[in-house]
DNA sequence: ATGGTGGACAATCCA
């Protein structure tokens, strides 16, 4: 039996996170490593650092904001970027779609949304809607498919440290829950929650602005790995690796890992 | 109710 190991990490600047990323890849050797918020133009992407570690890499980014990348041991097939619809900006720097080992993977950096009364929030909701249409148009829930990344939604009360206070935040509000549920209802299972039902205090993000947030457990679960039913059945485990948040020069996000038997 | 830190870039924008 082979194990297919995948991971997702909002790097918050890939060039400032290589001291975490490269050693983690050397140690864990995932088949696929999906990154968001690379914050780098394609011309300045640190390709050679990944090559030296034995990883191929595909990426799409811009100077200061957004940006997605995928590192993989095997060559990725059918790589494409963005939603490619007529409903809004291309957003090539928010979505990489590819195939590997017969599985379709979608690495996304969902718009954060800023505040509920801003155009950015309307755009976030629209983006979820467009993504659902994208799934319907190009894929089927019968196929092995994985959606992962920084999805900027904490789906349940147990996914944040203070649901009462945080209610209404752009990552924790009914409109976003509804958008997310609508996408899940297409046929996706939250793989982390499958293996940790009802488990509290499991977070993937700890705000830099909150003092001692890790020690005090003041986090959010906003990074996710979801899979269609046939793949969800094959998932062996899913866990949060806190190492990036505890590193010398820490990251605000952690690494989320899932393993599938193939 | 507000601000806190960190990243990019070079005065603010974003998270």
């Amino acid at each position: 039996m082979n194990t297919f190991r995948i991971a997702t990490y909002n790097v918050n600047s890939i060039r400032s996170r290589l001291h975490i990323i490269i050693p983690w890849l050397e140690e864990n050797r995932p088949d696929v490593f999906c990154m968001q918020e690379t914050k780098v133009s394609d011309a300045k992407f640190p390709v050679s650092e990944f090559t030296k570690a034995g990883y191929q890499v595909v990426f799409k980014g811009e100077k200061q904001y957004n940006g997605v990348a995928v590192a993989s041991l095997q060559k990725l097939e059918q790589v494409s970027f963005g939603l490619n619809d007529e409903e809004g900006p291309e957003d090539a720097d928010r979505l990489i779609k590819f195939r590997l080992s017969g599985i379709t993977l979608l690495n996304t950096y969902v718009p954060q949304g800023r505040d509920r009364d801003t155009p950015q929030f309307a755009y976030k909701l629209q983006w979820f809607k467009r993504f659902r249409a994208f799934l319907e148009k190009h894929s089927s829930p019968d196929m092995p498919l994985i959606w992962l990344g920084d999805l900027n939604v904490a789906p349940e009360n147990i996914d944040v440290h203070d649901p009462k206070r945080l209610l209404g935040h752009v990552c924790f509000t009914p409109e976003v829950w509804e958008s997310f549920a609508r996408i899940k209802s297409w046929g996706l299972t939250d793989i982390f929650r499958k293996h940790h039902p009802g488990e509290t205090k499991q977070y993937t993000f700890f705000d830099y602005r909150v003092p001692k947030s890790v020690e005090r457990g003041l986090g959010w679960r906003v990074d996710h790995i979801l899979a269609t039913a046939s793949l969800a059945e094959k998932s062996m485990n899913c866990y949060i690796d806190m190492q990036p948040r505890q590193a010398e020069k820490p990251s605000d996000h952690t690494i989320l890992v899932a393993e599938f038997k193939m």
Side-chain angles (χ1 to χ4, degrees):
Chain A
M1 184 195 76
N2 286 328
T3 301
F4 184 66
R5 182 180 298 118
I6 65 176
T8 179
Y9 179 32
N10 177 321
V11 295
N12 185 18
S13 170
I14 195 163
R15 289 173 294 176
S16 297
R17 231 47 85 186
L18 289 169
H19 68 291
I20 290 172
I21 297 167
I22 301 301
W24 196 90
L25 289 176
E26 304 272 19
E27 190 174 337
N28 293 274
R29 305 309 284 173
D31 294 280
V32 178
F33 190 70
C34 294
M35 293 163 275
Q36 306 85 36
E37 280 205 273
T38 53
K39 294 187 175 179
V40 66
S41 65
D42 293 345
K44 294 184 177 175
F45 194 95
V47 175
S48 65
E49 282 80 352
F50 286 89
T51 309
K52 276 182 237 161
Y55 279 86
Q56 309 184 33
V57 65
V58 297
F59 45 86
K60 192 69 79 180
E62 59 177 302
K63 186 156 57 170
Q64 194 170 1
Y65 307 114
N66 311 330
V68 281
V70 181
S72 63
L73 290 171
Q74 302 296 319
K75 188 170 169 57
L76 303 182
E77 301 152 33
Q78 301 175 34
V79 178
S80 64
F81 303 95
L83 288 168
N84 294 303
D85 62 14
E86 307 297 314
E87 310 302 317
E90 189 187 8
D91 278 343
D93 57 359
R94 290 189 181 276
L95 169 61
I96 303 180
K97 180 181 184 180
F98 57 96
R99 270 178 75 84
L100 185 67
S101 306
I103 301 169
T104 298
L105 290 102
L106 299 157
N107 173 29
T108 73
Y109 175 49
V110 171
Q112 192 263 0
R114 188 184 282 251
D115 260 304
R116 276 197 307 169
D117 58 356
T118 64
Q120 286 88 341
F121 186 66
Y123 181 64
K124 178 180 192 172
L125 298 182
Q126 182 70 3
W127 204 95
F128 277 126
K129 200 175 165 188
R130 291 168 64 200
F131 184 77
R132 158 87 199 214
F134 179 86
L135 287 175
E136 282 176 25
K137 184 174 178 188
H138 302 292
S139 303
S140 156
D142 301 328
M143 305 298 288
L145 179 144
I146 292 171
W147 178 34
L148 76 172
D150 180 352
L151 307 188
N152 269 317
V153 50
E156 295 182 90
N157 281 351
I158 54 172
D159 296 319
V160 294
H161 57 277
D162 191 344
K164 261 189 201 151
R165 189 171 69 81
L166 297 175
L167 182 62
H169 183 282
V170 289
C171 296
F172 193 70
T173 195
E175 309 95 296
V176 165
W177 293 331
E178 201 171 305
S179 301
F180 188 63
R182 174 99 182 103
I183 295 168
K184 282 177 74 176
S185 74
W186 175 78
L188 292 166
T189 300
D190 180 336
I191 298 299
F192 180 85
R193 205 39 92 196
K194 178 198 162 189
H195 294 281
H196 304 272
E199 196 172 324
T200 59
K201 295 175 179 150
Q202 294 291 319
Y203 307 126
T204 65
F205 167 75
F206 297 86
D207 198 319
Y208 284 130
R209 294 168 292 188
V210 177
K212 305 269 176 213
S213 57
V214 176
E215 295 87 329
R216 298 158 67 205
L218 304 182
W220 304 63
R221 194 173 74 91
V222 293
D223 301 272
H224 303 286
I225 298 174
L226 297 95
T228 50
S230 61
L231 259 182
E233 275 174 30
K234 293 178 179 167
S235 75
M236 306 296 290
N237 60 29
C238 186
Y239 59 91
I240 296 161
D241 189 331
M242 291 292 293
Q243 188 266 325
R245 196 64 184 84
Q246 299 162 331
E248 188 75 31
K249 187 178 131 197
S251 177
D252 50 359
H253 287 256
T254 63
I255 298 175
L256 179 64
V257 188
E259 291 174 340
F260 300 82
K261 62 178 180 220
M262 302 295 284

